[in-house]
Amino acid sequence: MKKITLLLCTLFFIPTFAQDHFSGITTSKRVGILNASLNPSELSNLDSKFEVQLMSFSFNVANNKIGFSDIANGNNLENSIFDSAGPVSFNVDADFLLPGVAFKLLNWGFAVTTAGHIKTSVVDFNPAIGDAFINGDFVNSLPTILSTKSQRITAATWGELGFSASHKIFENEKNKISGGVTLKLLFPGSYANIGADNFKGDFYLTSTGIELSNASANINIAYTGGLANSFSNTSDYTNSLFGNLNGMAADLGVNYQLKGAGKSYKLKIGAALKNIGSMTFKGDDNYSKNYKLEIGSTPLDLKKFVSASGIKEIEDAFDPYLTNPETKKEFKVKLPTVLNLYADVKVISKLNVTLFLQQKMNSDSGNDQITSQNIFSVTPRVSLGFFEAYLPVGVNEISGTTAGLGFRLGGFFLGSNSILTAVTNDSKQADFYTGFRFGFL
């Protein structure tokens, strides 16, 4: 299991893999196909009659334990994560916005988009349990652990093909209201999950290592294809970004504008409910198993977990303490449904301030749930037509406060949600995004 933890730590060091993807540019004054990824109703506000998206990508890592100084030292990263109080949460995810096109026709806006997603998460992991299972050590002085939280290590990849439409519902000299919808065809690639609910047990330090006895928990073990044998090979994620068509989802949105001079506005307010849906994993190499973990007076030696690199090895290491299995070869996984709310206010000429809120609609504790997080951000921006610069300042439930910087030059954009806090304040988040699109007519 140490390899699993080291994978997350390694990705954290790269200024790539984030949850609040494309922060700042998705609420740009230059409305384009990226704005529609935040809210499909924005297609009615396209700056150009046609827009082509070539490629955009966003990577982000967020955690609640270690910062850049820990990573720079490079030693005993797993000890830095688990030698602390409180549950460990860790997100590593990437969005790839692949070629797409958007266009306006009369009072309508349309788009066809493609995207790929990679996400791995550690959710509310008890650090003492992690220290015992992953490091084969036990820093916590209390030998008995009772954890009522649902703890998870999970990973997922999937692709999307989206069809969007937006309609201008009402417009007069001062006001404009638009609504929109995106229907997504989902192509599940890979999925893996280890979940433990209501864990309790006694840990003992022996002359040969750590043993666990008098323990019980509800355990879920799910995996597809290559992730059964290895959780730590990045190629297992990138090679399976698009699977077969096996799911659908939808985004619903609306926006209101208090109009200003010309094509500008004094105020824009938007709301969107995103990722309403699920995808199904099925096949001979897919399994979702619910077990009851029962360890009596005969202890479980935890040495075998330290070297485990895949879920199948972890499952085998628990044998024969897993009982009453419920096995499925076909299982559904819910997308991370979120509610997006935002308001863009014109302060003075060329200067706007955007308020953004992301509220997750489902609990991350479900073993069939891809995780998300709650986010609030404030983004002042200077818009000079061809050039735009912005400074997103946000708070999220995993890594805390972040401050970034970004700019747009025509259709090219580059930015980070956390570069300023990463450099000045040992931030627990690292991210980066860039891309290019162009509009005409």
Side-chain angles (χ1 to χ4, degrees):
M1 287 184 71
K2 186 175 292 189
K3 293 181 180 179
I4 298 172
T5 309
L6 288 175
L7 168 69
L8 298 178
C9 295
T10 302
L11 290 175
F12 177 75
F13 179 64
I14 304 171
T16 54
F17 287 78
Q19 181 80 28
D20 186 12
H21 291 290
F22 304 106
S23 180
I25 194 65
T26 52
T27 50
S28 170
K29 291 279 289 182
R30 178 197 180 281
V31 178
I33 201 167
L34 266 173
N35 301 66
S37 70
L38 177 72
N39 183 342
S41 68
E42 291 286 355
L43 286 170
S44 294
N45 304 321
L46 284 173
D47 272 22
S48 306
K49 287 187 177 181
F50 294 91
E51 179 166 285
V52 176
Q53 158 115 352
L54 296 182
M55 173 70 175
S56 301
F57 57 89
S58 171
F59 304 93
N60 173 298
V61 171
N63 82 105
N64 65 344
K65 295 296 178 183
I66 59 175
F68 272 108
S69 62
D70 299 300
I71 299 298
N73 291 333
N75 296 320
N76 298 319
L77 295 177
E78 64 275 11
N79 288 338
S80 299
I81 294 174
F82 294 114
D83 186 12
S84 59
V88 175
S89 292
F90 212 123
N91 270 1
V92 182
D93 56 298
D95 268 10
F96 301 88
L97 303 185
L98 304 173
V101 61
F103 61 93
K104 288 194 297 187
L105 181 64
L106 300 176
N107 290 326
W108 290 83
F110 299 95
V112 179
T113 55
T114 54
H117 307 275
I118 300 174
K119 185 170 182 60
T120 63
S121 301
V122 175
V123 181
D124 288 333
F125 206 47
N126 185 296
I129 296 175
D131 206 32
F133 276 89
I134 294 175
N135 296 331
D137 196 1
F138 202 77
V139 175
N140 195 315
S141 60
L142 296 176
T144 299
I145 292 179
L146 173 62
S147 180
T148 58
K149 284 181 173 290
S150 178
Q151 306 171 72
R152 301 176 62 200
I153 299 177
T154 184
T157 69
W158 73 100
E160 295 178 356
L161 174 61
F163 302 91
S164 304
S166 174
H167 182 57
K168 185 166 59 179
I169 301 171
F170 172 80
E171 184 175 22
N172 60 19
E173 292 182 358
K174 294 184 177 182
N175 306 282
K176 179 181 178 181
I177 301 174
S178 301
V181 60
T182 296
L183 298 179
K184 302 175 183 178
L185 302 180
L186 305 180
F187 300 83
S190 57
Y191 186 74
N193 184 76
I194 309 171
D197 185 33
N198 290 322
F199 177 93
K200 64 177 181 179
D202 298 328
F203 290 89
Y204 295 97
L205 181 62
T206 70
S207 59
T208 59
I210 301 291
E211 291 183 350
L212 172 64
S213 62
N214 302 317
S216 64
N218 299 316
I219 303 292
N220 174 263
I221 295 177
Y223 50 82
T224 63
L227 292 186
N229 301 315
S230 174
F231 213 120
S232 56
N233 292 331
T234 54
S235 61
D236 289 332
Y237 300 92
T238 55
N239 291 342
S240 59
L241 197 56
F242 276 81
N244 296 321
L245 173 60
N246 217 336
M248 294 188 67
D251 300 343
L252 305 173
V254 63
N255 76 84
Y256 163 79
Q257 290 187 17
L258 176 62
K259 298 166 69 174
K263 293 183 178 181
S264 184
Y265 55 82
K266 298 177 181 178
L267 171 67
K268 179 164 68 174
I269 300 173
L273 193 59
K274 288 179 53 64
N275 296 325
I276 310 166
S278 62
M279 52 190 172
T280 301
F281 291 89
K282 61 182 181 180
D284 292 337
D285 57 351
N286 293 0
Y287 291 93
S288 178
K289 306 176 184 180
N290 292 313
Y291 291 101
K292 180 68 176 179
L293 174 66
E294 294 179 334
I295 303 174
S297 57
T298 302
L300 170 63
D301 188 347
L302 301 188
K303 288 199 302 287
K304 60 184 72 176
F305 290 93
V306 176
S307 60
S309 61
I311 292 184
K312 194 68 175 70
E313 290 185 15
I314 295 171
E315 184 180 21
D316 293 340
F318 272 119
D319 187 66
Y321 299 100
L322 297 176
T323 63
N324 301 321
E326 296 178 1
T327 303
K328 298 179 181 178
K329 284 196 172 184
E330 180 176 317
F331 56 94
K332 285 187 177 182
V333 175
K334 299 175 186 175
L335 262 59
T337 306
V338 295
L339 174 65
N340 290 337
L341 301 173
Y342 57 92
D344 190 36
V345 184
K346 180 180 180 181
V347 180
I348 57 175
S349 178
K350 312 300 183 184
L351 175 63
N352 280 51
V353 175
T354 304
L355 306 178
F356 172 78
L357 173 69
Q358 175 178 288
Q359 175 65 50
K360 61 185 178 185
M361 305 305 291
N362 299 322
S363 171
D364 290 340
S365 62
N367 289 306
D368 61 349
Q369 176 67 55
I370 297 174
T371 63
S372 58
Q373 59 178 311
N374 297 323
I375 299 166
F376 176 75
S377 66
V378 179
T379 304
R381 75 180 69 248
V382 175
S383 301
L384 304 176
F386 191 74
F387 176 78
E388 184 176 9
Y390 47 90
L391 195 159
V393 179
V395 179
N396 67 72
E397 63 179 312
I398 293 182
S399 59
T401 302
T402 60
L405 190 65
F407 72 91
R408 174 184 61 82
L409 189 63
F412 172 77
F413 61 90
L414 176 68
S416 168
N417 302 329
S418 60
I419 185 63
L420 297 182
T421 45
V423 171
T424 63
N425 198 34
D426 198 26
S427 172
K428 294 180 174 64
Q429 177 168 314
D431 66 274
F432 167 81
Y433 60 83
T434 188
F436 181 75
R437 65 268 167 83
F438 62 91
F440 53 95
L441 300 182

